[in-house]
Amino acid sequence: MLIWSDYFKNSIIVGIDIHKIDIEEKNLDKKNIRVHQGSQNDKKFINEIINQYGNFDIIIDDGSHISKDVKKSFHLLFPILNNKGLYVVEDMQTSYNHFFGGNSFDLKYSNTHMNFFINLTDRLNYQEIANPFYTTKDYDAQITNISFYHNLVFVRKGLNNTVSKEVLNHSYEDMKFQEKSDRTGNKLRYYLKYKIFYKSYTYSLFILYFIKKIILFRF
């Protein structure tokens, strides 16, 4: 906090810690530093911080490093991050440590905070998902960049609503039907090709993968 206080001299640096901090002992009695005692997974406490300070430009999670706390804090705080702001999570190595709620035995499908941020990359390209059954997810159109470094994750917030060039309303078939029929005027031919044949193929894949998810308990 002292580093941020010196670097961002014209900003308010807000810190929270689950333990009582002696401000004078830690030399944190600076005019642009505020310290509050509370837990990062306490929704009531976090909302009190939000109500007091409003939105933030940079949020850094260097807290408990426990998977459930990291994810809960993101859900609570990302909505009040300003556009073009950065959300940073430190010490991501605990995602691979079961003593912190991590999982080193099922890396790909574990419910860790690393996998949470890996899956969050789909929010960058949600417009391109060619699944006619796709429903809007949290953080669609709200993230412009996610960067992974050794034990660090940076998420930049911003408007991300670029229209796809390949799918229309999450349907590749609808986009191609519209393009081809508008260009040639031959609606019947392309209706049969894209709306009937191609879409039947897509539906069959949807059913196949849905059954696979049920068998493997992957939801």
Side-chain angles (χ1 to χ4, degrees):
M1 293 188 69
L2 289 171
I3 292 174
W4 299 129
S5 173
D6 291 338
Y7 193 82
F8 297 112
K9 293 183 181 296
N10 298 319
S11 298
I12 299 297
I13 314 300
V14 180
I16 70 171
D17 199 291
I18 198 169
H19 302 292
K20 179 67 176 178
I21 301 297
D22 188 321
I23 304 299
E24 294 183 357
E25 179 187 346
K26 299 293 185 182
N27 296 318
L28 293 173
D29 49 343
K30 309 293 184 182
K31 65 178 182 179
N32 64 338
I33 288 180
R34 311 286 187 272
V35 180
H36 299 267
Q37 182 181 7
S39 173
Q40 71 181 104
N41 69 6
D42 184 340
K43 183 177 180 179
K44 182 176 181 295
F45 169 70
I46 295 298
N47 283 336
E48 290 173 355
I49 297 295
I50 293 170
N51 291 335
Q52 182 171 348
Y53 295 102
N55 287 15
F56 291 85
D57 295 308
I58 301 173
I59 297 174
I60 302 174
D61 181 353
D62 190 21
S64 73
H65 311 309
I66 295 173
S67 279
K68 64 181 181 63
D69 291 345
V70 173
K71 290 183 287 185
K72 185 170 184 179
S73 293
F74 185 87
H75 292 313
L76 291 174
L77 291 170
F78 189 79
I80 54 93
L81 183 67
N82 284 323
N83 273 344
K84 298 184 179 179
L86 283 174
Y87 194 103
V88 185
V89 183
E90 298 192 20
D91 296 306
M92 290 293 295
Q93 69 270 22
T94 59
S95 184
Y96 306 104
N97 190 323
H98 48 281
F99 292 103
F100 289 84
N103 189 330
S104 59
F105 310 106
D106 188 16
L107 296 179
K108 189 172 182 180
Y109 297 104
S110 59
N111 189 28
T112 63
H113 49 298
M114 178 60 83
N115 276 351
F116 170 79
F117 287 105
I118 290 173
N119 291 325
L120 204 61
T121 58
D122 291 330
R123 307 285 69 78
L124 289 170
N125 303 303
Y126 73 98
Q127 308 98 322
E128 311 297 339
I129 298 174
N131 177 359
F133 300 100
Y134 180 81
T135 56
T136 300
K137 304 292 189 300
D138 290 338
Y139 314 118
D140 280 357
Q142 297 181 45
I143 296 173
T144 59
N145 177 264
I146 301 177
S147 299
F148 292 86
Y149 301 89
H150 185 214
N151 297 333
L152 276 172
V153 172
F154 286 73
V155 182
R156 184 175 294 279
K157 186 174 183 178
L159 183 62
N160 173 16
N161 61 354
T162 304
V163 177
S164 172
K165 297 180 179 180
E166 296 294 333
V167 301
L168 175 64
N169 297 324
H170 300 288
S171 172
Y172 173 79
E173 302 87 357
D174 289 351
M175 174 64 83
K176 289 305 176 183
F177 168 74
Q178 180 174 292
E179 287 180 354
K180 299 285 188 177
S181 61
D182 286 350
R183 187 171 71 245
T184 66
N186 192 337
K187 291 185 178 295
L188 178 59
R189 175 186 174 186
Y190 292 110
Y191 185 89
L192 292 173
K193 180 177 180 178
Y194 291 107
K195 294 281 194 173
I196 303 297
F197 181 74
Y198 275 33
K199 190 155 285 193
S200 296
Y201 174 66
T202 296
Y203 288 163
S204 65
L205 281 180
F206 172 81
I207 294 171
L208 177 64
Y209 283 110
F210 183 74
I211 294 172
K212 182 179 178 181
K213 286 168 63 177
I214 292 175
I215 294 174
L216 298 176
F217 296 102
R218 290 176 181 163
F219 291 95

